[in-house]
Amino acid sequence: MTTVGGSTRTGLEFLVDGVAYRAGDVTVTYSRYVRGMFTADPGQVRRRLPSPRLHPVRWVNGRALVTVEACAWQMTIGALPPFDYADVFFGALVTHGDGAAPRLLPLLGGRAETRYGLGVCYLVTATSNRVAGEVYRLLFGAAPTVVSIRHDRSADLLGYTAADGDRLVASLSVPVTGRLKPSDGEVVAYSSWDGALVRWTLRDQGRAAMRVGSGRVRLRLGDHPLAAELRSMGWSTTPLAVGVGADGVLTGDLTPQPIGPAGPPPPPAPPQPTEAPVVVAFEDGRQEIVDQRLDRLPFSAAGTFEQPSGQRSLR
């Protein structure tokens, strides 16, 4: 049985079965993801940002630009065997500085993005694996909600559904059209660290495709408290743009870098013994949901994220 969390010498460490690891011991790759760009109420978004020096990026109509990202990952921690899991992130595009950036900043090019410190601040996060959740606690200053995540895939559709039992968090499926092209860019993210503002930067190399417009794509929000939190921010369900990606790796130091007044690290998560995995049946006809809140050793089985098989790979 795997025990996750517990006291360490510093808040920059986390425990797995009593062994301390740091964010720098973690490497992650992804097999495929979906992404959508949406809008939300700028006042509600600003209220949830960890620092007054972070500013929501505005769309042409003045609403805040927000993003939904769902991804199937493989994580390796030190010498432990890699394990598979999935996440759904709901974040706001933000800039860092004394004042807000111009509207439509993402369309102005790389120099403008660098000048204003364009990045993302994740407001609501969900993961299918408690061990991965401990890593995110270091990155985000708080552990994400652990839920079940189903990966839906066909020859021309890619999507994810996050649920806690029979309570839906969210579901997003994106058509796969055209060929995925090589991509190489930076991921800049901001988060809070017990009141301090931190930033981390990673290099993202893989294959991706984005297109403007929603087509028939809709974000479905359920009755879970996380979905209620998104609704309270006026989160739209019709995307401005959608994209898919595959076969990528994130490189760089995952250790958060303070960029504001440093405070003490957040308290460690209490030890949480986990149990054997269970399968939760959803009437989907093609898929099943594996509830990965209940992890166990060996690690090769701890994060067994069920993915569709026997279908054509992404182009």
Side-chain angles (χ1 to χ4, degrees):
M1 182 167 58
T2 304
T3 300
V4 180
S7 297
T8 62
R9 290 171 298 172
T10 74
L12 291 172
E13 297 174 325
F14 62 96
L15 292 179
V16 179
D17 282 342
V19 179
Y21 297 94
R22 299 176 66 88
D25 300 324
V26 177
T27 58
V28 286
T29 62
Y30 58 83
S31 57
R32 55 192 66 87
Y33 70 76
V34 298
R35 179 178 295 157
M37 190 71 67
F38 300 84
T39 64
D41 181 274
Q44 293 294 333
V45 170
R46 180 182 293 276
R47 195 169 296 126
R48 289 164 172 82
L49 296 179
S51 168
R53 290 180 60 78
L54 293 181
H55 312 279
V57 174
R58 304 292 190 95
W59 189 235
V60 63
N61 58 4
R63 284 176 58 84
L65 284 174
V66 292
T67 181
V68 178
E69 305 168 14
C71 190
W73 301 93
Q74 184 174 90
M75 178 178 287
T76 303
I77 302 174
L80 295 173
F83 60 93
D84 299 325
Y85 67 103
D87 294 322
V88 182
F89 295 144
F90 302 86
L93 290 185
V94 297
T95 57
H96 173 245
D98 294 329
R103 294 186 183 183
L104 308 179
L105 178 64
L107 304 181
L108 300 182
R111 288 186 178 180
E113 293 178 2
T114 301
R115 174 183 176 186
Y116 290 100
L118 180 66
V120 62
C121 182
Y122 294 112
L123 306 175
V124 174
T125 60
T127 183
S128 67
N129 188 278
R130 199 180 293 280
V131 177
E134 268 294 276
V135 177
Y136 295 139
R137 181 181 64 83
L138 297 186
L139 298 180
F140 305 143
T145 302
V146 183
V147 300
S148 302
I149 298 178
R150 184 181 71 232
H151 176 205
D152 301 307
R153 183 182 172 198
S154 65
D156 56 0
L157 193 69
L158 186 65
Y160 292 85
T161 298
D164 187 0
D166 60 355
R167 304 190 71 180
L168 174 70
V169 177
S171 179
L172 179 65
S173 295
V174 175
V176 180
T177 58
R179 291 189 175 275
L180 305 187
K181 298 180 179 180
S183 63
D184 188 347
E186 273 191 344
V187 177
V188 178
Y190 299 93
S191 61
S192 62
W193 191 260
D194 193 33
L197 181 63
V198 298
R199 176 174 58 208
W200 41 277
T201 303
L202 298 175
R203 186 178 181 183
D204 181 359
Q205 295 173 289
R207 297 185 300 127
M210 287 285 293
R211 66 180 180 87
V212 177
S214 61
R216 294 175 296 161
V217 177
R218 295 293 183 272
L219 173 67
R220 181 185 172 199
L221 298 178
D223 60 351
H224 191 275
L226 294 183
E229 175 72 5
L230 297 171
R231 287 195 180 92
S232 71
M233 288 185 268
W235 208 282
S236 68
T237 56
T238 302
L240 300 171
V242 294
V244 297
D247 307 327
V249 59
L250 299 183
T251 56
D253 190 353
L254 285 170
T255 304
Q257 302 299 318
I259 57 174
Q272 298 180 351
T274 56
E275 306 169 20
V278 296
V279 176
V280 181
F282 270 48
E283 297 182 5
D284 182 73
R286 297 180 298 112
Q287 311 289 339
E288 65 180 6
I289 291 183
V290 176
D291 188 339
Q292 295 182 39
R293 290 174 297 179
L294 310 174
D295 301 329
R296 64 178 179 180
L297 287 177
F299 256 72
S300 58
T304 305
F305 175 59
E306 283 288 318
Q307 302 195 41
S309 60
Q311 296 170 345
R312 190 172 66 186
S313 63
L314 293 180
R315 296 177 288 275

